[in-house]
Amino acid sequence: MLGNTRLAGALLASTTLIITPAFGTDLDAAEPQTSVGTGASDAGEDILVTARRRDESSQDVPVAISVVGGDHVDATGSFNVGRLQQLTPTLQFYSSNPRNTAVNIRGLGVPFGLTNDGIEQGVGIYVDGVYNSRVASATFDFLDVAQIEVLRGPQGTLYGKNTTAGAINITTNQPTFDFAAKSEISVGNYAFKQAKAAVSGPLSDTLAARFALSSTSRRGTIYNTTSSQWIQGQDNLGLRGQLLWKPTDRLNVTVTGDYSTQDPSCCGTVYVRTAVTQRPANRQFAALAAAQGYAPASTNPFDRLTDLDGQLKAKNRIGGASVRVEWALGPGELTSITAWRFWNWDPSNDRDFTGLPIVTLSQNPSQQDQYTQELRYNYDQGDIGFVAGAFAFHQRIDTQGTEQQGSASTRWNISPTNALYNSNVLEGLTALNAVSLKNSSAALFGQLSWKVTPELTIQPGVRLNYDKKQGYYQRQVFDSSGNALLLNDSNIYSPAQSAQLAIYAPQEIAPRFSDWNFSYDFTTSYKLAPDVLVYATYARSFKSGGINLNGVPTDSTYHAIAAAETVKPETVNHYEAGIKTRFWARRATLNLAAFRTDIRNYQANVNNSQYGVLRGYLANAGAVRAQGLEGDFSIRPSARFNAYVNGAYTDATYRRFNDAPCPPELSGGSDSPGNCDISGAVLPGISKWSFSFGAEANVPAKLLGQQGEVFFGYDGSTRSHFSSNATPSQYAWIEGYDLHNFRAGFRTDGGFSLYGWVRNAFDEQYFEQLQVASGNTGLIAGSLGDLRTWGMTVRLEI
């Protein structure tokens, strides 16, 4: 039945292939929206966006953009970016824990896999204009959101930080000079509890304030038989306070402070399968486990059982403060955004993915601070408009890591034919890692908009960017007695030392990178009719070079390979064409886009068979190409019904990657190739087909003496299979899946609503990510998607 559902959804969506909002119109028809960014409530109303740093209709913006109104975010339970991807098919979100999170658009942005702090993210995440440099911010709950815009394609000539794949622009509700308040409480199975509240109003004639909070908790969905705990729970708290000073109609000053915390028992994996590698049979997972009398808690991953014996912790703290000044100066507006943000990350993981004490400690707590300053002037008069700005960014990261081998490590890593097999030579072997990064960049950017005729507009944009990264990585290694393991010039070591060096080799590198780059784009748009816009864009963009901060591979003498310390900048050539249309008296919207992105020196995240490189490292693939078609269709024939369908076809492949790491089935043997040519292979994490679709209907009703409406809503999504390894492997493909969410309830004209909901209604069993364990043992572990959840929400607005 699910296969038929996927086919039916694909056939429906393929007739209307993506670029703008299907959701901005999905709001309470009884509550006309007047504030910018909440979407249109009635047929024909514009959805206003700020994608080009000014308020304008999304249908007049020659950019591929999806818009999700705050009401739809709340109604569908899309309370973070992970949930948001179910509404926007071109957005991909993968997370094994908050730090190891990837947010990509059209399959591009950051390398799929373990995060490396030494590179930039290609998708910019902005909250009220403030750039968030770490994708960990994407794992937090949305807080008092007014609207979310997902822009696709390079955005460097308008946005503060250069972003080569797109941007997520989140706008929150702002302080008001009229009193307003809202609250929401949700409860559900698995002890789910969520509370949201916001209050806004005047403190004086020129000063207004707004305060918002959100709290989410839920029991875990995977049972750890070793610790007798449910893991993968939720424990989130978010707070935000804002002050608006408006001394005149031409000056606004907004001061914002926010703080969010997560402290779940997280993040673990389950056993999925074993791959057949080229290691000797007695050194593959089945034989290794049998030799120590071990069996996984379950060989069916959807039993949701694990037996991880390492400590699991994902303590996360993020917050900051900003000052935004908007000053109507002359014929335009000057905007200044000054911000400081911090992120403190305190994790513990089980990196061997088993219940055996192989790797008993794996933790890399990190402290990050960033400072940004953006200054821009926006002019829009008559036939000429422009945005000109400057952006400065500085980031400091300090990480202290500990990795330790346990009592099962020796027999797991040393052959039975080796005299050390029955020793404890690896037990207690400890690596202490010290990592730091100073990352600075500065840029000048601008975009001109010239209406050559009332129908024809051209928009050239430019950006001059400077980036500088200074990193340091040190790994010190100690045996169980606390003696330091050191490298020597003679490369002569005892058998015990050689065995230990094969696991952790001391390493000290200080990679550096700095460079200038010049980006530009050119867009032409033409109004074929008042409600028909066609456009074409070419963009030449760059993603800054990177440095490896998780350690790099070593040569035969255990010394770091210097050439692996840095990766080259990406060079991006992007082409796009689209059409935006409204018809049937603006009751229907159909938008289409076609794109192609060519990247030279693509920054790939690769895994190495050496145990000493547990966290993977960065390397340049020669060339990558992503191309595809996208479409959105939404319809609202009356205030009583609306529906949408969005679809995306994405073909993303390595055009040239001659020295990629080999998949597990080609690794581990004495004659195995050192690297593989995977030119033509698909990029990881990308489904060729993805769709989202939904509808909402309502009828007038009276309940408990209150006039309102009964409503029923549905939102679904489907995606085809995708690779979950940097190099495609027959063992690391994730099957496509469908998700279906329903809601039904009652709401009044006065702002009260009560409704029940069920998400993943048909209890689809699926993986979000598969991970290939180090050492070529063949073990494949997985992160599971959410199971069926249901509950009830009560909301009140005044």
Side-chain angles (χ1 to χ4, degrees), residues 339-413:
W340 160 72
R341 300 208 57 75
F342 72 88
W343 176 39
N344 293 333
W345 168 234
D346 186 8
S348 293
N349 306 292
D350 193 322
R351 296 302 305 170
D352 59 49
F353 306 129
T354 74
L356 285 171
I358 303 169
V359 181
T360 54
L361 277 179
S362 179
Q363 51 195 34
N364 287 272
S366 180
Q367 304 82 44
Q368 306 194 16
D369 285 274
Q370 70 162 62
Y371 302 87
T372 57
Q373 173 63 59
E374 184 166 355
L375 189 68
R376 64 176 182 269
Y377 187 74
N378 182 41
Y379 172 89
D380 191 8
Q381 299 288 329
D383 295 335
I384 298 294
F386 67 84
V387 174
F391 179 79
F393 168 85
H394 180 72
Q395 177 189 42
R396 174 66 190 251
I397 302 177
D398 290 291
T399 301
Q400 311 82 37
T402 304
E403 298 170 29
Q404 188 174 80
Q405 300 290 302
S407 59
S409 177
T410 300
R411 288 195 169 193
W412 193 266
N413 294 304

Side-chain angles (χ1 to χ4, degrees), residues 147-439:
Q147 180 166 291
I148 301 173
E149 303 165 18
V150 180
L151 295 87
R152 303 191 284 282
Q155 304 297 323
T157 62
L158 280 172
Y159 277 76
K161 195 77 172 72
N162 192 35
T163 52
T164 56
I168 301 173
N169 186 28
I170 301 170
T171 304
T172 68
N173 292 305
Q174 298 298 296
T176 60
F177 283 93
D178 295 318
F179 179 78
K182 63 179 180 180
S183 61
E184 174 183 304
I185 296 177
S186 300
V187 295
N189 60 338
Y190 302 104
F192 175 78
K193 297 182 287 292
Q194 186 175 70
K196 298 179 180 180
V199 60
S200 180
L203 299 179
S204 71
D205 291 341
T206 59
L207 193 65
R210 188 178 190 96
F211 181 77
L213 64 86
S214 173
S215 175
T216 304
S217 65
R218 192 189 72 182
R219 196 206 75 186
T221 57
I222 297 174
Y223 188 72
N224 189 338
T225 59
T226 299
S227 64
S228 300
Q229 278 186 308
W230 289 96
I231 63 172
Q232 312 302 76
Q234 295 175 348
D235 185 6
N236 304 346
L237 175 66
L239 307 169
R240 177 186 293 117
Q242 297 164 291
L243 283 175
L244 168 64
W245 180 50
K246 190 177 177 71
T248 72
D249 291 338
R250 299 179 63 84
L251 179 64
N252 293 336
V253 179
T254 304
V255 180
T256 301
D258 68 279
Y259 176 79
S260 297
T261 177
Q262 292 177 330
D263 195 10
S265 179
C266 180
C267 296
T269 57
V270 296
Y271 171 92
V272 177
R273 63 176 68 99
T274 55
V276 178
T277 74
Q278 295 190 1
R279 275 188 128 192
N282 68 346
R283 306 305 297 147
Q284 299 196 36
F285 179 81
L288 291 168
Q292 303 206 44
Y294 170 74
S298 173
T299 56
N300 179 1
F302 298 110
D303 285 342
R304 293 184 174 266
L305 295 175
T306 192
D307 59 356
L308 302 178
D309 62 328
Q311 183 182 12
L312 297 179
K313 183 171 59 173
K315 189 175 292 185
N316 213 5
R317 304 285 186 270
I318 194 167
S322 66
V323 179
R324 186 175 73 250
V325 179
E326 298 166 308
W327 182 19
L329 184 63
E333 183 175 77
L334 181 67
T335 301
S336 170
I337 302 175
T338 306
W340 160 72
R341 300 208 57 75
F342 72 88
W343 176 39
N344 293 333
W345 168 234
D346 186 8
S348 293
N349 306 292
D350 193 322
R351 296 302 305 170
D352 59 49
F353 306 129
T354 74
L356 285 171
I358 303 169
V359 181
T360 54
L361 277 179
S362 179
Q363 51 195 34
N364 287 272
S366 180
Q367 304 82 44
Q368 306 194 16
D369 285 274
Q370 70 162 62
Y371 302 87
T372 57
Q373 173 63 59
E374 184 166 355
L375 189 68
R376 64 176 182 269
Y377 187 74
N378 182 41
Y379 172 89
D380 191 8
Q381 299 288 329
D383 295 335
I384 298 294
F386 67 84
V387 174
F391 179 79
F393 168 85
H394 180 72
Q395 177 189 42
R396 174 66 190 251
I397 302 177
D398 290 291
T399 301
Q400 311 82 37
T402 304
E403 298 170 29
Q404 188 174 80
Q405 300 290 302
S407 59
S409 177
T410 300
R411 288 195 169 193
W412 193 266
N413 294 304
I414 295 178
S415 172
T417 60
N418 190 311
L420 295 173
Y421 179 73
N422 289 312
S423 73
N424 61 353
V425 65
L426 298 183
E427 183 177 0
L429 184 69
T430 302
L432 301 180
N433 304 323
V435 187
S436 66
L437 170 69
K438 293 180 180 179
N439 181 10

Side-chain angles (χ1 to χ4, degrees), residues 474-549:
Q474 181 192 59
R475 180 197 291 142
Q476 297 176 290
V477 182
F478 301 90
D479 64 19
S480 59
S481 300
N483 301 312
L485 186 62
L486 303 174
L487 300 182
N488 59 57
D489 294 335
S490 64
N491 197 34
I492 299 175
Y493 303 98
S494 69
Q497 290 173 326
S498 295
Q500 293 168 342
L501 286 169
I503 303 299
Y504 299 137
Q507 191 170 116
E508 186 172 13
I509 58 175
R512 299 284 189 272
F513 175 85
S514 63
D515 198 13
W516 291 86
N517 62 65
F518 179 69
S519 305
Y520 51 91
D521 55 43
F522 188 87
T523 299
T524 301
S525 59
Y526 191 84
K527 281 270 189 179
L528 295 176
D531 286 325
V532 181
L533 176 75
V534 294
Y535 68 92
T537 296
Y538 167 72
R540 171 83 165 184
S541 188
F542 296 88
K543 184 178 175 184
S544 170
I547 58 178
N548 270 303
L549 289 178

Side-chain angles (χ1 to χ4, degrees), residues 751-773:
F752 171 79
S753 62
L754 171 67
Y755 61 95
W757 44 265
V758 56
R759 295 163 190 145
N760 190 8
F762 303 121
D763 207 18
E764 178 88 333
Q765 297 181 342
Y766 65 100
F767 295 106
E768 290 187 337
Q769 197 170 344
L770 297 179
Q771 300 178 51
V772 178

